[in-house]
Amino acid sequence: GFTKRRRSRRSGKMSIVKDEPVYDPEVDYGAGGCYMKPRHIIVEGTHEEMGYELAKIAQRDYGVKTLAKYTNATYGEAHRAYMERNFPNMARMSKGVLKAFGLDENDVEHDATQIPYDFTDIPKEAQLKSGDAPFNFCSFVALPIEKSGGGVFTSRNFDIFALNLWKGFLDLPLEEGEYNCWSRSLVLEKRPTEGYKTILVGGMEMLNPYVDGMNEKGLYFTQLSDPFAIGKEGSPPSGAEMSGVPYLALGPLLLEKCA
C-alpha cells in the first residue's frame, strides 16, 4: 500500500508529505505496459527524521530486511568519521536509518549511508571486471539559454537492458520479490529543516535514488555511464570496504552543499 502522510514520532509534524504512484495502476497503457512504475515521495523534517521514515518505506514496500555490513569495524569507523567530516547531513540521516532498523546509533557493523534495493549478489567466482558488463555509454545534451528561449534545457539517454542487477548478466532466473533494475523507480523530494531542498529522480536506492537531481537553487547534476572506467563492476553499492563517499552519492552531496 501507499502511505500518503505520516507524522514524525519525535516532532509530531508530518514527515511523509506524499507517497503515491506517478503512474495509474488501474490503467492499461498498452504496448507491453509500463516497465517503470515510479512513486513520488515527499519527505520533510530533520535529516535524522527523514532517514528514519525513508528506511521504514524501504522495509515495508521494497523488501529491505537488513543493511549491508562492512568487511570489519575498522571500515565502519573510518566511514563514519569521513561522512561526519565531509557529508554531515548524511551522517545525521544515517542515525535515523540505524534507528529504523533497530540498531544502536553508534553501530559500525552496518552501512546506514545507503539503502540499496533490487540488487542481487554476484557469485564471487563470477565477478565482473571493468568493461565486462554489457553497459552502453550514456550521452548528454544541454541547450544554453541563448538557444532555448530563455531557459536551460537538458536531455540524457539511459541505456541499460531490462534486466536485474546482477542476475540478469549471468542469465540466472529471478526469484519471488526480485525485480529488474529501475523498474521500481522513485521521484524523491527532500525538504530538510536546515539546508537546501532537493529532488532526485532515479531508483535502486532509497536515500538518494540514482542518478539525476536538482536543488532549490537550480543546481542540476546527472551521472553518465562509462563501462570502461576504473572500477569494479558488480561490486556491492554499500558496506564491504566502503570508506568514503561513493560516486553515486557525489551528486546529492553537491546539491546539499552548493548553490
Side-chain angles (χ1 to χ4, degrees), residues 139-176:
S139 60
F140 177 81
V141 176
L143 289 178
I145 293 177
E146 58 270 20
K147 293 186 177 181
S148 59
V152 177
F153 291 87
T154 65
S155 178
R156 56 85 51 83
N157 73 325
F158 192 58
D159 282 345
I160 192 166
F161 292 97
L163 45 67
N164 172 269
L165 297 179
W166 295 92
K167 277 188 173 182
F169 292 126
L170 304 174
D171 294 325
L172 297 175
L174 296 184
E175 299 177 9
E176 184 178 356

Short mmCIF file of all heavy atoms in Angstrom, two decimals, residues 139-176:
data_model
loop_
_atom_site.label_atom_id
_atom_site.label_comp_id
_atom_site.label_asym_id
_atom_site.label_seq_id
_atom_site.Cartn_x
_atom_site.Cartn_y
_atom_site.Cartn_z
N SER A 139 24.82 9.48 -23.11
CA SER A 139 25.08 10.75 -23.78
C SER A 139 24.23 11.82 -23.14
O SER A 139 23.18 11.54 -22.53
CB SER A 139 24.77 10.65 -25.28
OG SER A 139 23.41 10.31 -25.49
N PHE A 140 24.68 13.07 -23.26
CA PHE A 140 24.03 14.19 -22.57
C PHE A 140 24.06 15.41 -23.48
O PHE A 140 25.06 15.69 -24.15
CB PHE A 140 24.78 14.49 -21.27
CG PHE A 140 24.25 15.67 -20.51
CD1 PHE A 140 23.12 15.56 -19.71
CD2 PHE A 140 24.89 16.89 -20.59
CE1 PHE A 140 22.64 16.65 -19.00
CE2 PHE A 140 24.42 17.99 -19.89
CZ PHE A 140 23.29 17.86 -19.08
N VAL A 141 22.95 16.12 -23.52
CA VAL A 141 22.84 17.34 -24.33
C VAL A 141 22.30 18.46 -23.45
O VAL A 141 21.36 18.25 -22.67
CB VAL A 141 21.89 17.13 -25.53
CG1 VAL A 141 21.71 18.44 -26.29
CG2 VAL A 141 22.43 16.06 -26.46
N ALA A 142 22.90 19.63 -23.54
CA ALA A 142 22.41 20.80 -22.82
C ALA A 142 22.31 21.97 -23.79
O ALA A 142 23.27 22.28 -24.49
CB ALA A 142 23.36 21.16 -21.67
N LEU A 143 21.13 22.59 -23.84
CA LEU A 143 20.92 23.77 -24.68
C LEU A 143 21.11 25.01 -23.82
O LEU A 143 20.44 25.17 -22.80
CB LEU A 143 19.52 23.77 -25.27
CG LEU A 143 19.23 22.74 -26.36
CD1 LEU A 143 17.77 22.84 -26.79
CD2 LEU A 143 20.14 22.95 -27.56
N PRO A 144 22.03 25.89 -24.17
CA PRO A 144 22.23 27.12 -23.39
C PRO A 144 21.05 28.07 -23.54
O PRO A 144 20.20 27.92 -24.42
CB PRO A 144 23.50 27.71 -24.01
CG PRO A 144 23.53 27.17 -25.40
CD PRO A 144 22.93 25.79 -25.32
N ILE A 145 21.01 29.05 -22.66
CA ILE A 145 19.88 30.00 -22.61
C ILE A 145 19.66 30.67 -23.96
O ILE A 145 18.53 30.82 -24.43
CB ILE A 145 20.12 31.06 -21.52
CG1 ILE A 145 20.08 30.40 -20.14
CG2 ILE A 145 19.08 32.18 -21.62
CD1 ILE A 145 20.37 31.35 -19.00
N GLU A 146 20.75 31.07 -24.63
CA GLU A 146 20.60 31.82 -25.88
C GLU A 146 20.01 30.97 -27.00
O GLU A 146 19.57 31.51 -28.02
CB GLU A 146 21.95 32.39 -26.32
CG GLU A 146 23.05 31.38 -26.53
CD GLU A 146 23.85 31.12 -25.26
OE1 GLU A 146 23.34 31.44 -24.16
OE2 GLU A 146 24.99 30.62 -25.39
N LYS A 147 19.95 29.65 -26.83
CA LYS A 147 19.39 28.80 -27.87
C LYS A 147 18.10 28.09 -27.44
O LYS A 147 17.56 27.29 -28.19
CB LYS A 147 20.42 27.73 -28.28
CG LYS A 147 21.63 28.32 -28.99
CD LYS A 147 22.54 27.21 -29.51
CE LYS A 147 23.72 27.79 -30.27
NZ LYS A 147 24.61 26.72 -30.81
N SER A 148 17.63 28.42 -26.26
CA SER A 148 16.45 27.70 -25.77
C SER A 148 15.31 28.62 -25.33
O SER A 148 14.41 28.20 -24.62
CB SER A 148 16.85 26.80 -24.60
OG SER A 148 17.41 27.57 -23.55
N GLY A 149 15.38 29.87 -25.74
CA GLY A 149 14.27 30.77 -25.46
C GLY A 149 14.18 31.26 -24.04
O GLY A 149 13.09 31.53 -23.53
N GLY A 150 15.31 31.34 -23.35
CA GLY A 150 15.30 31.93 -22.01
C GLY A 150 15.47 30.94 -20.88
O GLY A 150 15.58 31.33 -19.72
N GLY A 151 15.45 29.65 -21.17
CA GLY A 151 15.65 28.64 -20.12
C GLY A 151 16.77 27.71 -20.50
O GLY A 151 17.31 27.77 -21.60
N VAL A 152 17.16 26.88 -19.58
CA VAL A 152 18.19 25.88 -19.84
C VAL A 152 17.52 24.51 -19.92
O VAL A 152 16.83 24.10 -19.00
CB VAL A 152 19.26 25.86 -18.73
CG1 VAL A 152 20.28 24.75 -18.98
CG2 VAL A 152 19.97 27.21 -18.65
N PHE A 153 17.71 23.82 -21.03
CA PHE A 153 17.12 22.51 -21.24
C PHE A 153 18.22 21.46 -21.32
O PHE A 153 19.24 21.67 -21.98
CB PHE A 153 16.28 22.48 -22.52
CG PHE A 153 15.03 23.30 -22.44
CD1 PHE A 153 15.05 24.65 -22.76
CD2 PHE A 153 13.83 22.72 -22.05
CE1 PHE A 153 13.90 25.42 -22.68
CE2 PHE A 153 12.67 23.48 -21.97
CZ PHE A 153 12.70 24.82 -22.28
N THR A 154 18.00 20.36 -20.66
CA THR A 154 18.96 19.26 -20.71
C THR A 154 18.23 17.98 -21.08
O THR A 154 17.03 17.83 -20.85
CB THR A 154 19.67 19.04 -19.36
OG1 THR A 154 18.70 18.62 -18.39
CG2 THR A 154 20.36 20.31 -18.91
N SER A 155 18.97 17.06 -21.66
CA SER A 155 18.42 15.76 -22.01
C SER A 155 19.54 14.73 -21.94
O SER A 155 20.67 15.02 -22.29
CB SER A 155 17.82 15.79 -23.42
OG SER A 155 17.31 14.51 -23.78
N ARG A 156 19.20 13.53 -21.46
CA ARG A 156 20.21 12.47 -21.41
C ARG A 156 19.52 11.15 -21.76
O ARG A 156 18.32 10.98 -21.59
CB ARG A 156 20.85 12.38 -20.03
CG ARG A 156 19.91 12.19 -18.84
CD ARG A 156 19.52 10.75 -18.54
NE ARG A 156 20.63 9.86 -18.43
CZ ARG A 156 21.35 9.70 -17.33
NH1 ARG A 156 21.03 10.34 -16.24
NH2 ARG A 156 22.36 8.87 -17.31
N ASN A 157 20.31 10.22 -22.30
CA ASN A 157 19.77 8.89 -22.53
C ASN A 157 20.12 8.01 -21.34
O ASN A 157 21.00 8.32 -20.53
CB ASN A 157 20.29 8.29 -23.83
CG ASN A 157 21.74 7.88 -23.72
OD1 ASN A 157 22.52 8.53 -23.04
ND2 ASN A 157 22.11 6.80 -24.38
N PHE A 158 19.42 6.89 -21.21
CA PHE A 158 19.62 5.99 -20.09
C PHE A 158 19.60 4.57 -20.65
O PHE A 158 18.63 3.85 -20.54
CB PHE A 158 18.51 6.20 -19.07
CG PHE A 158 18.76 5.53 -17.75
CD1 PHE A 158 19.90 5.83 -17.02
CD2 PHE A 158 17.86 4.62 -17.23
CE1 PHE A 158 20.13 5.23 -15.79
CE2 PHE A 158 18.10 4.00 -16.01
CZ PHE A 158 19.23 4.31 -15.28
N ASP A 159 20.71 4.21 -21.29
CA ASP A 159 20.78 2.92 -21.97
C ASP A 159 21.18 1.81 -20.99
O ASP A 159 22.31 1.76 -20.52
CB ASP A 159 21.82 2.97 -23.09
CG ASP A 159 21.28 3.67 -24.32
OD1 ASP A 159 20.07 3.84 -24.38
OD2 ASP A 159 22.08 4.04 -25.20
N ILE A 160 20.23 0.96 -20.69
CA ILE A 160 20.52 -0.22 -19.89
C ILE A 160 19.46 -1.26 -20.21
O ILE A 160 18.31 -0.92 -20.54
CB ILE A 160 20.55 0.10 -18.39
CG1 ILE A 160 21.15 -1.08 -17.60
CG2 ILE A 160 19.17 0.44 -17.86
CD1 ILE A 160 21.52 -0.73 -16.17
N PHE A 161 19.84 -2.50 -20.16
CA PHE A 161 18.90 -3.56 -20.52
C PHE A 161 17.86 -3.75 -19.43
O PHE A 161 18.10 -3.49 -18.25
CB PHE A 161 19.66 -4.87 -20.77
CG PHE A 161 20.53 -4.85 -21.98
CD1 PHE A 161 21.89 -4.57 -21.88
CD2 PHE A 161 20.00 -5.07 -23.24
CE1 PHE A 161 22.70 -4.54 -23.00
CE2 PHE A 161 20.80 -5.03 -24.38
CZ PHE A 161 22.15 -4.77 -24.25
N ALA A 162 16.70 -4.23 -19.84
CA ALA A 162 15.60 -4.50 -18.90
C ALA A 162 15.87 -5.82 -18.20
O ALA A 162 15.33 -6.87 -18.55
CB ALA A 162 14.26 -4.54 -19.64
N LEU A 163 16.77 -5.77 -17.23
CA LEU A 163 17.16 -6.97 -16.51
C LEU A 163 17.51 -6.62 -15.07
O LEU A 163 17.54 -5.46 -14.67
CB LEU A 163 18.33 -7.68 -17.19
CG LEU A 163 19.52 -6.86 -17.68
CD1 LEU A 163 20.32 -6.25 -16.54
CD2 LEU A 163 20.43 -7.71 -18.56
N ASN A 164 17.74 -7.63 -14.30
CA ASN A 164 18.10 -7.45 -12.90
C ASN A 164 19.61 -7.23 -12.77
O ASN A 164 20.41 -7.82 -13.49
CB ASN A 164 17.68 -8.69 -12.10
CG ASN A 164 18.19 -8.66 -10.67
OD1 ASN A 164 19.26 -9.16 -10.38
ND2 ASN A 164 17.41 -8.07 -9.80
N LEU A 165 19.98 -6.36 -11.86
CA LEU A 165 21.38 -6.22 -11.47
C LEU A 165 21.59 -7.02 -10.18
O LEU A 165 21.02 -6.67 -9.16
CB LEU A 165 21.74 -4.75 -11.21
CG LEU A 165 21.63 -3.79 -12.39
CD1 LEU A 165 22.00 -2.38 -11.94
CD2 LEU A 165 22.50 -4.20 -13.54
N TRP A 166 22.27 -8.19 -10.23
CA TRP A 166 23.19 -8.53 -11.31
C TRP A 166 22.85 -9.87 -11.94
O TRP A 166 23.56 -10.36 -12.81
CB TRP A 166 24.62 -8.54 -10.79
CG TRP A 166 25.06 -7.20 -10.35
CD1 TRP A 166 24.97 -6.68 -9.10
CD2 TRP A 166 25.63 -6.18 -11.18
NE1 TRP A 166 25.46 -5.41 -9.10
CE2 TRP A 166 25.87 -5.08 -10.37
CE3 TRP A 166 25.96 -6.10 -12.54
CZ2 TRP A 166 26.42 -3.90 -10.85
CZ3 TRP A 166 26.51 -4.94 -13.00
CH2 TRP A 166 26.73 -3.85 -12.16
N LYS A 167 21.81 -10.50 -11.52
CA LYS A 167 21.45 -11.82 -12.03
C LYS A 167 21.24 -11.81 -13.54
O LYS A 167 21.53 -12.79 -14.22
CB LYS A 167 20.19 -12.34 -11.34
CG LYS A 167 20.42 -13.00 -10.00
CD LYS A 167 19.15 -13.65 -9.50
CE LYS A 167 19.40 -14.46 -8.24
NZ LYS A 167 18.15 -15.14 -7.76
N GLY A 168 20.74 -10.71 -14.06
CA GLY A 168 20.44 -10.64 -15.49
C GLY A 168 21.66 -10.84 -16.36
O GLY A 168 21.56 -11.38 -17.47
N PHE A 169 22.83 -10.40 -15.89
CA PHE A 169 24.05 -10.56 -16.68
C PHE A 169 24.55 -12.00 -16.69
O PHE A 169 25.38 -12.37 -17.51
CB PHE A 169 25.16 -9.65 -16.14
CG PHE A 169 24.87 -8.18 -16.36
CD1 PHE A 169 24.90 -7.29 -15.31
CD2 PHE A 169 24.56 -7.71 -17.63
CE1 PHE A 169 24.64 -5.94 -15.51
CE2 PHE A 169 24.31 -6.37 -17.84
CZ PHE A 169 24.33 -5.48 -16.77
N LEU A 170 24.06 -12.79 -15.75
CA LEU A 170 24.50 -14.18 -15.64
C LEU A 170 23.42 -15.15 -16.08
O LEU A 170 23.56 -16.37 -15.92
CB LEU A 170 24.91 -14.48 -14.19
CG LEU A 170 25.99 -13.56 -13.61
CD1 LEU A 170 26.19 -13.85 -12.14
CD2 LEU A 170 27.28 -13.70 -14.38
N ASP A 171 22.32 -14.61 -16.65
CA ASP A 171 21.20 -15.45 -17.12
C ASP A 171 20.64 -16.33 -16.01
O ASP A 171 20.23 -17.48 -16.25
CB ASP A 171 21.63 -16.31 -18.32
CG ASP A 171 21.95 -15.47 -19.55
OD1 ASP A 171 21.29 -14.44 -19.73
OD2 ASP A 171 22.87 -15.84 -20.30
N LEU A 172 20.60 -15.79 -14.80
CA LEU A 172 20.04 -16.52 -13.68
C LEU A 172 18.58 -16.11 -13.49
O LEU A 172 18.23 -14.94 -13.63
CB LEU A 172 20.82 -16.22 -12.40
CG LEU A 172 22.29 -16.65 -12.40
CD1 LEU A 172 22.98 -16.19 -11.12
CD2 LEU A 172 22.40 -18.16 -12.55
N PRO A 173 17.68 -17.05 -13.20
CA PRO A 173 16.26 -16.72 -13.04
C PRO A 173 16.02 -15.90 -11.78
O PRO A 173 16.72 -16.05 -10.77
CB PRO A 173 15.60 -18.10 -12.95
CG PRO A 173 16.67 -18.99 -12.40
CD PRO A 173 17.95 -18.49 -12.99
N LEU A 174 15.03 -15.04 -11.86
CA LEU A 174 14.65 -14.23 -10.70
C LEU A 174 13.73 -15.03 -9.78
O LEU A 174 12.91 -15.82 -10.24
CB LEU A 174 13.96 -12.95 -11.13
CG LEU A 174 14.77 -11.94 -11.95
CD1 LEU A 174 13.95 -10.68 -12.20
CD2 LEU A 174 16.07 -11.60 -11.25
N GLU A 175 13.88 -14.80 -8.51
CA GLU A 175 13.01 -15.41 -7.53
C GLU A 175 11.92 -14.42 -7.14
O GLU A 175 11.97 -13.24 -7.51
CB GLU A 175 13.82 -15.84 -6.30
CG GLU A 175 14.90 -16.86 -6.61
CD GLU A 175 15.74 -17.20 -5.39
OE1 GLU A 175 15.37 -16.77 -4.28
OE2 GLU A 175 16.77 -17.88 -5.56
N GLU A 176 10.93 -14.89 -6.41
CA GLU A 176 9.86 -14.01 -5.97
C GLU A 176 10.43 -12.86 -5.14
O GLU A 176 11.28 -13.07 -4.28
CB GLU A 176 8.84 -14.79 -5.14
CG GLU A 176 7.63 -13.97 -4.72
CD GLU A 176 6.62 -14.78 -3.95
OE1 GLU A 176 6.82 -16.02 -3.80
OE2 GLU A 176 5.62 -14.19 -3.49
#
